[in-house]
Amino acid sequence: MVNVALPKGRLGEKVYDLFEKAGFDCAEMHDKGRKLIFENPEKGIRYFWVKPSDVPIYVERGVADLGIAGKDILLERHPEVYELLDLKLGICRMCAAAMRDFYDDGEKTLRVATEFVNIASDYYAKQGRDIDIIKLHGSVELAPILGLSDVIVDIVETGNSLRENDLVIVDEILPISARLIANKANFKFKTKEIKNIINLMKEQVENNY
Ligand code: PRP
């Protein structure tokens, strides 16, 4: 059995569709209950729904052989896992944004509010910019509006969150998408099964599903 940690939510639903089209269906997955584990013994697959940011933990610890995590989480946490495939889903950008009228003279320490402390620190360190990081856990757009920070570093997908809060992108930091990841030791034990999954998933990705 190959154990797969799927990120709960819209991205996870899309990822499951991809697994289904690749031949790893599990009929019960469409039930909208609270159950978190589903398996199809005939196809040799078991799925868990986990909080998206927890996926690398399940995979790193080996209770999931495979998982799907955003490149943002992988770059932020550097989990000890193999990154196997770009699923070309959950496409967005990591950006720095500020109030429309913000002007950075480059002299003062820049106050940066973000959930992505490491990504933001690396980005500004490469620019030699002195920053003060303010770690938040959501609703990051509030920070510049209330004067808690000068800029935010956050994910931008449609751009609606920025627009509706009168913020504008000042820098594009990284492109982000969902990645298929694997536990390193389990990959060795289940190489044949996992490679089969990768190949079938790759076909789906290349054919745009
Ligand atoms: C993420 C991100 C932005 C928003 C970007 O937040 O932090 O707020 O999505 O998407 P958009 O460009 O399509 O508006 P999420 O919905 O995960 O909630 P959060 O504020 O709790 O982080």
Side-chain angles (χ1 to χ4, degrees):
M1 197 73 104
V2 174
N3 298 292
V4 184
L6 290 174
K8 235 191 211 171
R10 210 158 40 97
L11 173 64
E13 307 278 341
K14 283 193 200 160
V15 170
Y16 171 69
D17 283 348
L18 186 54
F19 272 94
E20 196 174 64
K21 287 189 180 131
F24 302 96
D25 51 291
C26 182
E28 290 178 349
M29 290 285 282
H30 294 291
D31 297 347
K32 293 282 177 233
R34 307 285 295 172
K35 207 174 140 178
L36 296 173
I37 304 181
F38 298 89
E39 61 182 53
N40 182 347
E42 275 169 32
K43 297 285 167 82
I45 201 114
R46 180 188 290 130
Y47 297 104
F48 323 131
W49 287 118
V50 315
K51 191 175 154 122
S53 55
D54 289 341
V55 167
I57 300 171
Y58 287 82
V59 176
E60 197 170 34
R61 297 263 176 169
V63 293
D65 304 304
L66 296 176
I68 290 79
K71 185 71 180 171
D72 50 328
I73 298 173
L74 301 178
L75 287 168
E76 182 61 24
R77 308 250 197 90
H78 296 292
E80 271 298 315
V81 296
Y82 290 133
E83 190 182 312
L84 302 174
L85 186 63
D86 182 348
L87 298 179
K88 312 264 169 74
L89 286 172
I91 294 174
C92 49
R93 297 166 290 163
M94 183 68 67
C95 293
M99 298 290 287
R100 198 170 291 282
D101 58 1
F102 174 69
Y103 171 71
D104 181 12
D105 63 11
E107 305 237 318
K108 282 197 291 288
T109 299
L110 190 70
R111 296 171 306 153
V112 182
T114 187
E115 282 183 65
F116 302 95
V117 168
N118 293 324
I119 292 175
S121 302
D122 288 352
Y123 174 69
Y124 287 108
K126 279 191 192 118
Q127 301 197 341
R129 189 74 166 88
D130 192 20
I131 61 163
D132 174 15
I133 281 271
I134 301 155
K135 161 105 185 172
L136 294 177
H137 299 91
S139 301
V140 177
E141 292 85 0
L142 269 178
I145 300 173
L146 299 180
L148 178 64
S149 74
D150 301 311
V151 299
I152 61 172
V153 168
D154 200 13
I155 285 166
V156 178
E157 191 181 355
T158 60
N160 289 339
S161 304
L162 294 182
R163 261 190 302 279
E164 289 181 22
N165 290 290
D166 218 16
L167 301 173
V168 291
I169 294 173
V170 289
D171 279 311
E172 295 213 4
I173 299 177
L174 292 162
I176 305 288
S177 58
R179 308 297 163 104
L180 181 67
I181 58 173
N183 175 273
K184 290 188 170 178
N186 299 6
F187 185 80
K188 288 201 185 80
F189 294 122
K190 301 185 185 177
T191 309
K192 202 172 125 231
E193 293 88 335
I194 293 176
K195 280 196 172 162
N196 182 39
I197 294 175
I198 301 171
N199 289 336
L200 292 166
M201 296 284 274
K202 208 185 249 171
E203 262 176 41
Q204 291 300 319
V205 173
E206 282 164 8
N207 296 330
N208 291 318
Y209 322 124

